Amino acid sequence: MRALIFLALLFVSNAFALNNITAQSWLIADDNGVMIQGENPNEVRSIASITKLMTVMVFLDAYKSLNLKIDQNRIQRALVSSDNRAAKELCESYPGGHGDCIFMMNFKAKEMGLNHTNFFEPTGLSVFNYSNTEDLVKIVDAASTYPEIVYASHIKKHNTNPTIGKYDYTISKTGYINVAGGCIVAKVKDKIVVILGSKNVRTRFVELEQLLRA
């Protein structure tokens, strides 16, 4: 009886926590990308600096295919401290230049079946960089196959995600502009979490931890 009461209380407290999430759209998926739980998963929203995951992926695709020297420092600055200048420089150094970089970001999105995603520039500062949580699950899953991105996601110093080291992240990327609100995506072992439109930059981490424990 005590065990049943404990489980009931645990369920109620967890449901209460999830009901108090400020994010306008969020999703928990398994490691196959199948949704476990979510709210407004199809809602298209500005994604801010989560954009940088795609910027880095297309940069790495091009440089590896051409066997060019990869600037690891610039990649880490773009992903760890979310340095906008570093993201711009990666896109500008893309073979063919900035325009080809943006074209390939959108081309790769279409190849991945991301029908609700668009990239206008490489940093995430534009409101015209948008997606939804379902598409972002696919982006996070794809990003987890790039060793350079996984490595950057484990760097604690100057990381915009203060919970690095507290959880065993495979991938983690934050984002924020006024229109987007607090955003974060993360892959932890067998779970992918996407949060868009959290109230502010602090609530996104509180809500991330709630969803990781859900």
Side-chain angles (χ1 to χ4, degrees):
M1 179 59 73
R2 288 181 178 178
L4 289 174
I5 293 173
F6 173 77
L7 289 173
L9 289 172
L10 183 63
F11 176 81
V12 170
S13 64
N14 187 57
F16 177 79
L18 295 186
N19 285 335
N20 279 273
I21 288 177
T22 67
Q24 300 299 304
S25 177
W26 59 269
L27 184 149
I28 308 170
D30 64 20
D31 56 356
N32 292 314
V34 178
M35 187 174 79
I36 299 170
Q37 196 170 359
E39 186 170 343
N40 301 322
N42 298 314
E43 183 176 306
V44 174
R45 297 187 58 85
S46 175
I47 59 173
S49 285
I50 295 171
T51 296
K52 293 182 176 77
L53 287 176
M54 185 63 85
T55 303
V56 172
M57 282 195 287
V58 298
F59 173 85
L60 288 171
D61 289 344
Y63 269 58
K64 288 179 178 180
S65 68
L66 296 172
N67 198 29
L68 299 174
K69 185 179 180 181
I70 295 170
D71 188 338
Q72 303 284 359
N73 178 265
R74 194 174 286 169
I75 288 173
Q76 289 168 21
R77 282 166 44 216
L79 295 177
V80 179
S81 58
S82 206
D83 187 318
N84 292 324
R85 182 176 178 180
K88 287 180 182 178
E89 289 172 349
L90 287 174
C91 204
E92 288 166 358
S93 62
Y94 185 89
H98 180 275
D100 281 4
C101 174
I102 302 302
F103 174 84
M104 286 307 300
M105 288 170 70
N106 286 295
F107 182 79
K108 187 175 182 69
K110 295 303 180 187
E111 277 195 322
M112 292 169 62
L114 310 182
N115 297 319
H116 306 285
T117 298
N118 181 73
F119 298 104
F120 184 75
E121 51 79 47
T123 69
L125 288 174
S126 172
V127 298
F128 296 110
N129 291 358
Y130 56 76
S131 188
N132 63 18
T133 59
E134 291 183 336
D135 280 7
L136 287 174
V137 164
K138 295 178 182 179
I139 289 177
V140 171
D141 191 48
S144 70
T145 66
Y146 291 76
E148 297 85 355
I149 299 178
V150 173
Y151 179 81
S153 295
H154 287 83
I155 298 173
K156 292 180 66 175
K157 189 175 182 180
H158 303 307
N159 202 304
T160 54
N161 180 359
T163 69
I164 297 295
K166 186 174 181 179
Y167 298 94
D168 187 17
Y169 290 109
T170 304
I171 293 291
S172 167
K173 185 69 194 80
T174 63
Y176 179 83
I177 57 174
N178 287 336
V179 172
C183 304
I184 189 166
V185 296
K187 184 173 184 179
V188 181
K189 295 183 179 178
D190 59 352
K191 184 181 288 186
I192 298 172
V193 174
V194 178
I195 292 173
L196 298 178
S198 187
K199 184 177 180 180
N200 55 52
V201 295
R202 295 180 296 277
T203 55
R204 61 183 172 178
F205 301 119
V206 174
E207 291 162 11
L208 173 64
E209 294 196 82
Q210 289 176 358
L211 296 181
L212 287 174
R213 293 193 297 264

